[in-house]
Amino acid sequence: FSGGLNPEMARCMANLAQISPKHRVIDPCCGSGTLLYAASLYSHSLYGYDLHANHLLGAKLNLPTYTKLQLADATCLKLDQHEQKFDRMLLNLPWRCHVSESAQDANT
């Protein structure tokens, strides 16, 4: 099951994040798990979320069994809970999404 992110780019992103073995790593838009797979070279505490069940199915096929995957909208996570604090976030935003002009204007 292939994803849209180049595996070499994912490995570079994981390297830049300076992930250590004790880090808890989250990818809130994990898709097929390319970034989490790169992170698995450094840490075994991995958490992936995605809105699409078929993407998570790909992630389950691609990732080690210790990866925690959940079908969820990551914007609704309760990150204030102790068990859901993360040390690193890897993210490749969905490239098919578009930002409206009104949203862009609000950020200026």
Side-chain angles (χ1 to χ4, degrees), residues 31-33 53 55-65 67 69-71:
S32 62
H55 293 180
L56 286 180
L57 175 60
K60 286 180 183 179
L61 294 172
N62 290 334
L63 294 169
T65 57
T67 306
L69 298 169
Q70 183 176 351
L71 182 65

Side-chain angles (χ1 to χ4, degrees), residues 61-108:
L61 294 172
N62 290 334
L63 294 169
T65 57
Y66 53 75
T67 306
K68 294 155 191 74
L69 298 169
Q70 183 176 351
L71 182 65
D73 181 349
T75 62
C76 298
L77 297 177
K78 296 178 182 177
L79 297 178
D80 56 89
Q81 297 175 3
H82 174 71
E83 67 274 2
Q84 290 189 328
K85 292 190 179 188
F86 302 98
D87 302 294
R88 297 290 187 268
M89 177 187 290
L90 293 176
L91 177 65
N92 182 32
L93 291 173
W95 56 274
R96 291 186 183 125
C97 296
H98 300 281
V99 178
S100 70
E101 287 183 30
S102 60
Q104 289 176 352
D105 293 340
N107 291 326
T108 58

